[in-house]
Amino acid sequence: AETQTTFRGVELSLSDLTGGTAQTQAESAGAAAAIFALKDTDGELAYQSQQSFAQEYDLNAADGAVNQAIQQANGGELYTVAYLSCFRDDILPQWNRSLSVHSSGGNYWDDEGVRWTSPASAEVRQYVTGLCQEAAALGFDELLLDNCGFPTRGNLDSIKGDSNYNSANLTADMTTFFQQLETALAGYPELKVSVVTSLSVLNGTSDGSGLTLDLLKQYADRVFVAVPDGQTLPTIEGLEIVPIVAQGTGEGSWAVLR
């Protein structure tokens, strides 16, 4: 599928892709790209992964033919984007607490009661980069990485400082992640990598994720950001910014996420 210069994308269900209706649905929403969740915040996967955690903790989709169906559908005209909730992952910390961000009581829970894995964990980074590599191999044109960092929501003061969360190292840990991701995706030079971030980061301040403007400029092809009422998107040289909206329009770039 052709690269999008103006990005207009809408999130659809994976069954729309494999069932052949995604293109029509995207077009009727005014979108030229369709976004599909391969890994949501519950940690379950919508396809069959070869990653050891996915197999060990039974996170894979039940349908044995789903990967082939995705690959076949991705061979068409439609520009397809794989959405992955990287480190906001409710299930892995329940199975293996050594992988998570902690509080004094055990796993850290955010404001919606969702647990987070730690980008400081080499095993977690390997798992997420492995999933991204598999998404690329399934033929997606772009990866959309959400929750790509340390927790940004909930009572961050309750996070326990330890080897999985050193407040002085958050950006260094995320730099390591992006370096490893770049290596993992070296075989897919056409693939775009996009990252969901906050206005805070785009305005040069911290949101707790470990992401910085410099890091995004270096490693992200574009960034997606929700713009609260009354706020405006900054214009940043060398960085394409896509607003996350409730409904698409006929102007500019936008993304509608579920």
Side-chain angles (χ1 to χ4, degrees), residues 124-164:
V124 170
R125 289 196 306 267
Q126 187 178 353
Y127 175 58
V128 176
T129 54
L131 296 178
C132 290
Q133 196 173 36
E134 289 175 339
L138 286 171
F140 287 94
D141 297 297
E142 183 165 338
L143 305 182
L144 178 54
L145 308 182
D146 197 2
N147 304 305
C148 186
F150 291 87
T152 53
R153 51 190 302 163
N155 178 14
L156 302 183
D157 291 338
S158 71
I159 294 176
K160 182 180 166 189
D162 57 19
S163 61
N164 277 3

Side-chain angles (χ1 to χ4, degrees), residues 89-110:
D89 178 325
D90 200 42
I91 205 162
L92 270 190
Q94 295 183 58
W95 286 108
N96 188 339
R97 208 177 271 183
S98 74
L99 305 175
S100 61
V101 174
H102 305 120
S103 66
S104 56
N107 286 321
Y108 171 75
W109 296 31
D110 65 25

Side-chain angles (χ1 to χ4, degrees), residues 45-87:
L45 302 175
Y47 73 106
Q48 292 208 319
S49 168
Q50 297 301 309
Q51 302 302 308
S52 57
F53 286 156
Q55 298 184 340
E56 190 179 340
Y57 303 133
D58 196 22
L59 307 178
N60 280 330
D63 179 2
V66 67
N67 288 24
Q68 195 176 352
I70 292 171
Q71 214 158 5
Q72 203 168 346
N74 275 337
E77 294 283 293
L78 182 64
Y79 187 89
T80 58
V81 182
Y83 169 98
L84 296 102
S85 174
C86 295
F87 302 104

Side-chain angles (χ1 to χ4, degrees), residues 5-54:
T5 44
T6 301
F7 184 93
R8 291 179 189 164
V10 62
E11 187 174 345
L12 301 173
S13 71
L14 199 61
S15 59
D16 297 325
L17 177 65
T18 54
T21 62
Q23 179 128 18
T24 313
Q25 287 195 50
E27 284 170 0
S28 68
I35 302 163
F36 304 96
L38 289 193
K39 177 182 186 283
D40 225 322
T41 53
D42 60 6
E44 302 281 350
L45 302 175
Y47 73 106
Q48 292 208 319
S49 168
Q50 297 301 309
Q51 302 302 308
S52 57
F53 286 156

